Structure formats: structure tokens, C-alpha cells
Amino acid sequence: MALMNRFRNKLRANTALSASKERDGEEAKAEASVDVASRIAYLRKRFSQSSDVAYHNFVTPSGLACALVYIKGMIDLKTVEEKALSVLTCLDPDTPNEDLFSRLFERMQLPIALQSVIHLLKEAERCVLDGEALLLLEGERRMLCLSVSVTKERSIDEPPNESVIRGPREAFVENIETNITLLRRRLRTHRFTLDMMHFGSETHTSVALAYLSGVCKPELVAEAKQRLSNIEIDGVLGASYLEEFIEDNPYSPFPQMQYTERPDVVSAALLEGRFALLVDGTPIAILAPVTLFMLMQSAEDYNQRYIAASWIRIIRFIFMFISVMLPSIYIAITTFHPDIIPERLLMTVSAARENVPFPALLEAFMMELCFEALREASLRIPKAIGQAVSIIGALIIGTAAVQAGIVSAAMVIIVSVTGIASFIIPHYDLGLALRLMRFPIMVLAGAFGLFGIACGVILIYFHLIELRSFGVPYLEPLAPRQAGDLKDVFVRAPWWVMKKYPSHAASGNGLRTHGREWAALKDEEE
Amino acid sequence: MKAITPLQIYMMSTQFLFSTAIGFFIGPLVLKAGFMSWISVILGSGIGLAMTYLSFRLMQRRPEEFLAHYGMHIVGRWPHYIIFACVLLIHLYMAAFVLRELSDFIIQIYLPGTPEWAVVSLFGLCIARGVRSGPVHFFRSAQGLFLFSVISVFTFPLFVSSEVDTEKLIAFVTDFHPGGIWDGTLISSALFSETAFIVYLIPYFRNKERTFRMVAWSALTAAFVTIANIVATLMLFGSELTANLTYPTLEMIRYIWAGSFLENLDPLLIVFWLFSMLLKIGLFLMMGTLITAHLFGLKDHKPFSYGMAAAMIVLSIAMFESTADIEESTTQSQSILLLLKSSVPLLYLLVDSLRAWKGRKLAGQAD
């Protein structure tokens, strides 16, 4: 059987090889030709299964045969008619062909802003597939690729997942060029660098690696390019396709790259010496390197006054702890350490749990699983019936389950608080990872009480200590300690205090700000 | 490789020293030195530091090499292997011993009825995970939770300040018995000399000249934390009761009553102490694992980390019958074993110095 399979595979490989050889032969033949018909015939064969490819043959007044090849719907026909067809069909009949070729291919006299001369049929193929118009002329091997593509794109909208009260309201869209423009408008510097790449053998998705040269460490850029250059995949339909290929530890549940839909967040990250990846077709940019504390920062923090922002950030950390620990602590206390809580509270909790037939661990597990299911359902179902699901969920979990004696009221409170706490984490991927961590810790709490929780936390902690994002330790600046960077971790220091670049940025760039120099001068005068 | 910063050395050494000191050593120390235990801690930390300084001098001679590698050039191949096999066993024994002390404490107080093997295995897994991550990450982890650990152990004496009997204060000066103080000094010097571990890890340190200074600061901090806990315990229970309690610090923590919200804080505070205990056991096991790798001529310690952790778990479960045996071992043999372990670098320093002296003498004769 194995022998048969091997033979079949070899046969298949041989067939593919001979087909490829045959295609290369045809291409070389068409390549060598200056004849429009043979090149069109080659392209027709290549696009034989694409009924949307149009072949427009026409003749100039001097009798020169020409052809335009494009995909219907992907180009602006009006522009082609006005800027190419009408020019070529209204030429002086006495114009010699050589002069026409020179005007078109050397002096680029067609009134179209973006056009390029191509020599190979492979390039011609790519030109057509990219939604441009391909112009071929009889007696000339060179071809003209006219950038007249038109795409229906949605307008720049408010970011649906990262809304702010103060701050810009623009979000990325699906078009990479628009997204780059959004960044350009914010970073008007020659340092803003873009490296364009293409991924996906079938999709040829455009990807832009953006960074500020001189601010982003050159070794970080080199590392990013090296990792990206190793990607071989048939299609890239979103930023997350690339993320999984280039992250440091693919087995970790914790996100090692940050995603955002806000151009101001990307701009701020570039100013901190990080790099961004913009992928065509997705309104999400990914940023790296990232630390756990960066994932706890929100765009709002930098638009609010620093005192309020710091307070909110502390609240966020407290609730992050609650979102991971609260059910486990409840299980540990009710099962192993009831002596921690005061007698009256203990009696209240015990009375509430009196009729519940399940141990605290099982009760918590059931409730948490139901909550996860409800949350997932509310995300996936159509908005019109989403409210109904919420009401049913609230009724079942909140009232009916307690009244039926399946779960205790205390457990409902615990699960609700945990649920709210998990929504406070600004980065969805991090919230997801922490939600996942909650379950093994609950099992450890059910088996070993607070000792089990401590062990669970220690295991997670060691994982986080080892984790890196493009060489930057995940728990930086706490471990390893970077005293200067602590200004933007648990609190957000005022802008005029954050004078230096973060430690992961390139050194020797001077200061980001000189602070409130006028205040110092005024003090001196007084 | 040079990625352990001086600050990380300070934070690791501090937690390494005070973890067992306040957890298990206060009883035996007070048994010997009574109210004068604070003098024993000061003297012991001084002696321990002196021993560490001599280890530091040895490591200054070959700062880029591991002692397990170059030791054979000092004392000869086979003596070196024998000595290091003993050092390896002592490290493994100490890791297993402290793990057993901890698991007994956890089971007796918080998890009665839970099988010993389950508690030891779970904590052993955490330790193995830490050891496998390597010295650089292990020291980094000590940095991350340092503040929580130190604040929690400082909280113990602060919270009971209202409960203490101030009339006992005079005993800290009058309860003078030199024999007891000397015995206590031996116990605490054994404990503080443990910082000689730096000699086994030197190539990992970034700023080697500052290593001893950092260790000295950590000994000072640990001595301060230990004395604060000893004083609070003695003022609360007196010397007789403290000496006879198995876990005097725990009993002190149970006096903490944080208003009407929390009845007993001990399980919460012990969570942070637990992490410093993990660092202690982990560092013993880490050194054992590194020494094994070096003796076998391997660069990476990882292949041994889980095996050594399994050996520690088995040894920890099988080593002692009861808590009484552990207590007896703590007072009788543990200090000697620790002093013996810390003296090994001194032996190498002595032989190395003699060889150097002899070399100079021969060179002088030749001239």
C-alpha cells in the first residue's frame, strides 16, 4: 500500500513538473514575441477560468494593434477611457510607431499618475490580478501597467472596540493605503519607514512593516524582517495569520503581540520604538514588542488627566487580579479556610450554601462555564436577538438557579463580579488568556485551598518570567527591573515627567520632552 | 549568559535568607540563646558574611568559570569529584529537607488529611518549573515579587505591636548567657553563610565587583527582618513558649486581627512567604542541578532539572518519619551540614593560595 502511495505521489509530482515545464516553455515563447495576439493568447490561457478578465483590442489611427487587459469591476473604466483609450485612439495617424513607443514607455506621456513599464509576462499577470490595467502594443515587448484600480471601501469610522471619551475617533479600515495615510498624517517625519512585503502564494496580500528609524532598534527591525521572511503560506487574510508565525512562544496562551484598530495607538507605539504590521484587507494593526503591562494600558489613559488615568489603571490591575482569582479564593475559603472571614459573614455564606447539593468547586465550575457560554453566545448571535439571550441568561443564572437551590446567591455574586472584572481588561486577547487561567486555578483551589492557588500562580508567574516578545521580557519593567519605565506601569506619570525613551527603544535619541521648563524658569525668577 | 544584575542578587539573597530564618529557625535559635537571640543573629550574620567574602575572593580569581569546572585544577581530579559529589548531595538533601519542613507545616496547619505526596509533588512541580527556567529567569522571578514578600514579612511584627508585653523589653539586655549565645550564633552563621552560593553561579552575574556588596546588603536586610520577627515573637510569648512552639512565627501571625473584615490573616500572608520558600528550595536544587551538569561536562542543566526534582520529592517523602524527626535534625545536624557546604569554597581557596604561594617560592628559587 505504501509502495502504491509512493508511486502515485511520484507520478503526481512528475505530472506537475511536466505541466510546469510546459507552462514555462509557453511563457518563454510568448515573452520573446512582440506580437499582441500571442501574448493575449498566453494570458487567455492563464486566465482561462476567470470569466471576469476583459480583453479589449483596439487599433490606433496609424493602424497599430493594441490591447487592454483588466479585471471587470476592479478598475476605473472612466479613467481608462479618458486617459488612455481616447489618447491612443485620437493620435495623429502619421505618428511613427517608434515615436509612440518612446512617448509611452520612456517619457510616460499618458496622463495617468501611477504607471510602470513591465517586461515579463509574470509581471503582466500580477498587474492584472492586482486590479490594474495592462496595455500591450504590437511590435513592442514592453508593456504598461496603469494604476487605475478602484476599490469600494467603507469610510473611516469610530473604533468599535477601542472607543475613548477624549481623543481621536478615527479607526483603521480594510485598505492598507488608507491606513498608511492615517499614520502618515500623524507622523510627519522622514524617520517614518515603511517596508512593503507580500505574503500568501494565492492571496499576495500586501503587508507593511512600519517603524521610526533611529527610534526603533535596528536589531529589532532586522529580527522582525528575518522572522517575516521565513513565512510561507497560501493565504494571509488577516493580521493574526502573521502573528502566529512570528511570535516567540507559539504554545503560550498569552498574547505576545498587541493588536489595535486605532492609528493614534500605532503612532504612539512607533514613537516608543516599537514596530507595526499593517495587513491589507484588515482594519487591525499588530504591534511588537509587547509586555504584560502594555496590554493593561488603554488609549484612554493618555487622553485623560494623569491622576484620573492612574486611578483607573490601578482599578484595572485590581480587577485583573479579581478576574483570575475571585472564584478560586471563594472555593478555597469555603472549603479549606473558613476561619479567615468573620463569623457573621461565614454564617451568611454557609446559610446560602445550605441547600446547594454540589461542592463549591463544582458549583463555581458550572456557573463559570455557563457565563462563558453566555458571553460567547452574545458575541456570535445577531444583535436583534442578543438582548433576548442576555435576559434569558440573567433570569436563568440570576434568579431561577438560586431559587431552585442549584447554586447559591453568593456564587452568583462571585461570578458576576468576575465577569465584570474580565471586561475591564483593555486587551481582549489578554482577557481571554486570563479567563483560561481561571479554570486550572479553581481546580487547584478545590484540591489544596490557598496553597493550591499559590502554586497555580507560581506556575503562571514562571511562565510569564520566561516569556519574551521579540526579545523583550514579558514582565519588563518589573522583572527585570527598569526603573525609568515604571513611570508608565501601575500609574501613568504626566507627559512632562516621561522624558526618556523606553528601555526597549534605540538609545542615543536624546529626550522625548524637556518637561515644563517654563515652570522651572519661573521658580528661579521668584 | 551575564544577565543577573546586582539588584537581582540582592533581592534573591534577601528572600533566600529570611524565608527559613523566620519560618523554622526562630524556635531552635531561641531555645539556645533565649532573649539574646538578636545578638546571635548579628554575630551569625557577620560570620556568615566573612565566609561568603572568602568565597567571593576565590571567585574573583576566575570570574568567568564555574568552580565545578576549574576546581579539579586546584585540588586534583578525583578529590574534586568526591568533594563535589558531597556538595551535590548536600544541596539535594537541603532542598528535600526544607521541602519536607514546608509540606509538614502546610499539612498540619492548613490541609489536614491531605496526602503528603500530593502536597510535596505539587510544590515540587513548581520548584522544578522554576529550576528548569534557568538561573537568569529564576533570579528575575525573585525580583518580581520581592516587594510583596518583604512587605508581608514586615507586616507580621507590625500588626502585633499592640499585643506585646513591653515589660519583657529589659530581658533583651539582661538575659545574658554566653554559651547559649554562641550556640545560637552557630545556628545563624550556618544560615547566613548559605550566601556562599554565589561561588557556583558567578559566570551568570553581570557586575561581578558589586556581588559581595549586594550580598552584604541582603544579609543586613535579612538580619533586620529576622530580628524584628524574633523580638515580636519573644515579646508576645516569652522565651520558654517560643522555644517550645513548632512554628512560633505562625502563632504570632495568628494574633493579627484586621478589624471586622478579616478574622485571620495567616493563610493570606503565608502565600507570600511561600514564594520566598520556593526560591530557597529552588536555589538549592538549582545549584545541585548545575553542579550535576557541570560534572558531566554539559552546558545545559535542563536535562537534569525534572530528574533532580523527582529525586528531591522522593527524598523529601522518604527521609523522615515525623515532624519530631525534622525538629531534631534542625537542631542537631542541619547547621553543621550547612557550615560544611559553605566551607567547601574556603577549602579550594586555601589549596589555591598554597599552590600559588608554592609556585611563587619555586619561581623565586629558580631566579
Side-chain angles (χ1 to χ4, degrees):
Chain A
M1 192 66 183
L3 201 69
M4 277 290 286
N5 279 341
R6 207 184 295 169
F7 176 72
R8 213 174 288 158
N9 287 342
K10 205 171 177 182
L11 195 70
R12 224 176 276 163
N14 281 341
T15 318
L17 195 70
S18 59
S20 154
K21 270 183 186 167
E22 195 182 319
R23 204 188 65 201
D24 287 348
E26 277 174 25
E27 191 184 327
K29 217 164 141 189
E31 205 97 70
S33 165
V34 291
D35 178 22
V36 168
S38 64
R39 283 180 286 175
I40 289 287
Y42 170 79
L43 289 172
R44 271 188 193 280
K45 199 169 181 189
R46 293 291 289 154
F47 299 129
S48 60
Q49 288 169 344
S50 312
S51 57
D52 54 346
V53 178
Y55 306 89
H56 184 161
N57 295 303
F58 62 97
V59 182
T60 62
S62 62
L64 185 74
C66 304
L68 262 173
V69 186
Y70 55 85
I71 297 173
K72 287 176 222 167
M74 282 188 82
I75 64 160
D76 185 4
L77 268 178
K78 202 178 167 195
T79 311
V80 173
E81 276 167 16
E82 284 175 7
K83 308 281 172 67
L85 279 174
S86 60
V87 173
L88 291 169
T89 51
C90 298
L91 282 170
D92 183 355
D94 298 331
T95 312
N97 287 351
E98 282 68 32
D99 184 40
L100 177 64
F101 297 155
S102 161
R103 281 165 64 181
L104 287 178
F105 296 106
E106 281 147 33
R107 283 177 275 160
M108 313 297 262
Q109 282 191 344
L110 273 186
I112 291 172
L114 288 170
Q115 49 183 305
S116 55
V117 178
I118 52 178
H119 300 84
L120 303 172
L121 280 169
K122 259 185 192 163
E123 290 171 342
E125 214 178 306
R126 172 82 4 243
C127 166
V128 175
L129 288 172
D130 283 346
E132 321 288 12
L134 178 74
L135 178 67
L136 302 106
L137 287 94
E138 187 75 30
E140 174 57 55
R141 275 181 63 197
R142 290 176 289 182
M143 293 162 275
L144 213 51
C145 183
L146 309 173
S147 289
V148 285
S149 64
V150 61
T151 44
K152 299 270 187 298
E153 67 174 78
R154 63 184 175 91
S155 60
I156 294 168
D157 223 333
E158 274 196 45
N161 301 318
E162 292 175 79
S163 54
V164 291
I165 293 163
R166 278 169 70 172
R169 304 287 162 89
E170 280 181 335
F172 285 128
V173 290
E174 279 74 10
N175 189 321
I176 191 169
E177 280 162 20
T178 313
N179 293 343
I180 290 170
T181 318
L182 288 171
L183 292 179
R184 271 273 179 221
R185 272 194 221 140
R186 285 170 174 79
L187 300 164
R188 297 172 193 198
T189 164
H190 67 280
R191 289 172 183 269
F192 180 53
T193 315
L194 279 168
D195 286 334
M196 292 302 291
M197 307 166 207
H198 293 91
F199 292 98
S201 56
E202 305 298 325
T203 57
H204 282 271
T205 313
S206 302
V207 174
L209 173 71
Y211 57 93
L212 285 188
S213 59
V215 180
C216 185
K217 280 185 177 168
E219 52 268 33
L220 177 62
V221 177
E223 178 72 25
K225 283 182 184 171
Q226 197 262 325
R227 290 188 194 186
L228 285 166
S229 66
N230 282 328
I231 299 175
E232 274 182 30
I233 188 172
D234 57 346
V236 171
L237 301 173
S240 55
Y241 282 58
L242 299 178
E243 188 184 341
E244 288 185 18
F245 276 99
I246 59 174
E247 63 190 359
D248 290 56
N249 184 351
Y251 302 108
S252 172
F254 289 89
Q256 291 144 66
M257 297 185 89
Q258 180 186 350
Y259 74 80
T260 181
E261 50 189 10
R262 298 181 62 91
D264 58 320
V265 171
V266 173
S267 308
L270 299 189
L271 286 167
E272 286 177 356
R274 296 156 74 193
F275 70 82
L277 281 174
L278 304 169
V279 180
D280 196 23
T282 173
I284 303 285
I286 48 178
L287 301 167
V290 73
T291 65
L292 179 77
F293 303 106
M294 285 177 189
L295 296 174
M296 290 298 287
Q297 294 164 351
S298 150
E300 186 73 47
D301 295 356
Y302 301 94
N303 292 309
Q304 287 290 351
R305 288 182 55 75
Y306 69 92
I307 296 172
S310 300
W311 166 241
I312 291 165
R313 201 175 277 183
I314 291 166
I315 293 283
R316 213 176 279 149
F317 276 101
I318 293 169
F319 276 85
M320 180 181 92
F321 174 79
I322 286 174
S323 90
V324 183
M325 297 290 197
L326 193 61
S328 313
I329 290 173
Y330 175 79
I331 294 167
I333 288 176
T334 50
T335 316
F336 292 95
H337 318 286
D339 50 327
I340 288 184
I341 48 175
E343 252 174 58
R344 286 175 68 183
L345 180 61
L346 183 64
M347 280 166 71
T348 313
V349 174
S350 304
R353 293 209 70 244
E354 206 175 26
N355 295 326
V356 179
F358 307 112
L361 174 64
L362 195 62
E363 190 189 358
F365 235 94
M366 284 191 320
M367 288 294 288
E368 283 293 341
L369 281 178
C370 285
F371 188 80
E372 290 293 321
L374 268 173
R375 179 157 40 187
E376 194 57 24
S378 60
L379 281 175
R380 305 282 160 238
I381 55 172
K383 276 183 188 167
I385 54 168
Q387 211 175 355
V389 169
S390 306
I391 293 164
I392 293 165
L395 278 175
I396 290 170
I397 292 176
T399 318
V402 175
Q403 280 176 357
I406 294 169
V407 292
S408 63
M411 182 52 82
V412 174
I413 296 167
I414 296 284
V415 172
S416 311
V417 173
T418 312
I420 292 165
S422 65
F423 288 125
I424 290 174
I425 295 161
H427 198 275
Y428 183 74
D429 278 5
L430 179 66
L432 212 59
L434 294 176
R435 269 156 59 190
L436 207 65
M437 294 297 109
R438 193 186 299 155
F439 291 95
I441 295 179
M442 275 161 60
V443 174
L444 285 171
F448 296 98
L450 284 174
F451 172 72
I453 296 177
C455 288
V457 172
I458 286 169
L459 286 171
I460 297 170
Y461 179 62
F462 275 125
H463 173 69
L464 293 178
I465 279 283
E466 274 190 287
L467 206 58
R468 283 171 172 270
S469 170
F470 280 84
V472 175
Y474 205 59
L475 290 186
E476 202 180 73
L478 196 66
R481 189 75 44 90
Q482 300 288 353
D485 294 358
L486 283 170
K487 287 172 189 165
D488 195 16
V489 173
F490 297 110
V491 292
R492 201 272 282 171
W495 281 113
W496 41 270
V497 171
M498 293 193 274
K499 292 180 180 175
K500 288 183 182 168
Y501 280 91
S503 55
H504 58 258
S507 53
N509 292 302
L511 297 175
R512 295 187 76 183
T513 169
H514 291 280
R516 285 160 53 94
E517 281 182 342
W518 65 269
L521 288 171
K522 210 170 181 183
D523 284 348
E524 272 174 31
E525 278 169 21
E526 282 170 6
Chain B
M1 193 189 255
K2 291 174 195 170
I4 299 174
T5 63
L7 188 65
Q8 287 170 351
I9 297 171
Y10 165 76
M11 290 174 171
M12 170 60 95
S13 301
T14 307
Q15 294 179 78
F16 180 78
L17 288 175
F18 74 62
S19 55
T20 42
I22 61 165
F24 306 118
F25 271 86
I26 288 181
L29 198 64
V30 173
L31 184 71
K32 302 284 183 192
F35 276 90
M36 283 291 170
S37 298
W38 63 276
I39 294 185
S40 296
V41 172
I42 293 171
L43 290 174
S45 59
I47 295 170
L49 267 180
M51 290 176 81
T52 307
Y53 179 72
L54 292 172
S55 301
F56 176 68
R57 290 302 300 269
L58 173 70
M59 111 196 168
Q60 272 183 320
R61 297 184 176 187
R62 296 168 187 85
E64 303 303 327
E65 286 179 70
F66 290 106
L67 180 60
H69 285 156
Y70 68 78
M72 64 181 74
H73 305 304
I74 298 175
V75 294
R77 182 181 291 268
W78 289 109
H80 172 70
Y81 284 153
I82 292 165
I83 292 167
F84 260 73
C86 294
V87 171
L88 162 66
L89 286 176
I90 292 173
H91 277 119
L92 189 62
Y93 170 81
M94 284 311 301
F97 181 81
V98 182
L99 179 61
R100 179 60 190 267
E101 270 184 315
L102 180 74
S103 63
D104 266 27
F105 165 74
I106 297 283
I107 291 166
Q108 271 184 39
I109 311 293
Y110 299 110
L111 301 170
T114 310
E116 179 111 43
W117 63 265
V119 174
V120 171
S121 302
L122 180 62
F123 206 62
L125 178 72
C126 296
I127 296 162
R129 187 69 192 78
V131 170
R132 195 176 161 77
S133 68
V136 174
H137 291 123
F138 201 62
F139 272 71
R140 194 176 285 169
S141 70
Q143 192 176 28
L145 292 179
F146 176 77
L147 272 181
F148 294 107
S149 292
V150 169
I151 289 170
S152 70
V153 291
F154 264 123
T155 316
F156 302 166
L158 281 178
F159 269 90
V160 290
S161 54
S162 57
E163 306 282 332
V164 296
D165 180 5
T166 47
E167 286 185 4
K168 289 187 185 117
L169 267 173
I170 192 71
F172 287 104
V173 187
T174 55
D175 187 23
F176 188 74
H177 43 106
I181 292 172
W182 175 245
D183 288 346
T185 304
L186 275 182
I187 293 176
S188 57
S189 61
L191 197 78
F192 281 91
S193 68
E194 284 177 9
T195 46
F197 71 78
I198 53 170
V199 79
Y200 302 108
L201 298 169
I202 185 68
Y204 290 106
F205 297 158
R206 193 178 285 169
N207 201 340
K208 294 181 175 66
E209 305 81 58
R210 287 177 64 195
T211 303
F212 182 70
R213 207 183 309 161
M214 287 297 120
V215 170
W217 276 111
S218 72
L220 202 70
T221 315
F224 185 68
V225 169
T226 312
I227 289 170
N229 277 278
I230 288 175
V231 168
T233 317
L234 282 171
M235 285 176 78
L236 207 60
F237 303 126
S239 63
E240 276 301 309
L241 187 56
T242 305
N244 287 297
L245 285 170
T246 313
Y247 307 113
T249 318
L250 172 80
E251 299 302 336
M252 179 181 74
I253 298 166
R254 289 196 162 188
Y255 265 76
I256 298 171
W257 185 74
S260 57
F261 177 63
L262 289 172
E263 200 81 349
N264 264 318
L265 275 178
D266 56 310
L268 291 177
L269 290 173
I270 273 155
V271 164
F272 291 109
W273 172 70
L274 209 62
F275 184 71
S276 47
M277 286 301 290
L278 179 134
L279 293 177
K280 177 104 187 183
I281 304 167
L283 202 57
F284 278 132
L285 191 68
M286 171 85 71
M287 285 181 289
T289 313
L290 282 174
I291 288 169
T292 312
H294 294 156
L295 287 180
F296 279 99
L298 296 176
K299 280 187 179 173
D300 191 10
H301 71 285
K302 280 181 185 170
F304 293 105
S305 54
Y306 284 128
M308 288 288 282
M312 175 190 71
I313 290 167
V314 172
L315 203 61
S316 173
I317 296 167
M319 203 161 43
F320 295 106
E321 289 274 314
S322 65
T323 312
D325 291 345
I326 299 171
E327 275 186 62
E328 199 184 330
S329 176
T330 311
T331 45
Q332 301 296 326
S333 63
Q334 207 194 357
S335 303
I336 302 299
L337 215 58
L338 284 173
L339 283 170
L340 198 69
K341 178 183 79 69
S342 308
S343 306
V344 168
L346 273 60
L347 175 73
Y348 280 80
L349 180 71
L350 184 70
V351 177
D352 198 34
S353 302
L354 282 173
R355 273 174 177 266
W357 175 75
K358 201 178 166 187
R360 276 199 301 274
K361 201 177 164 186
L362 285 172
Q365 279 173 356
D367 285 341

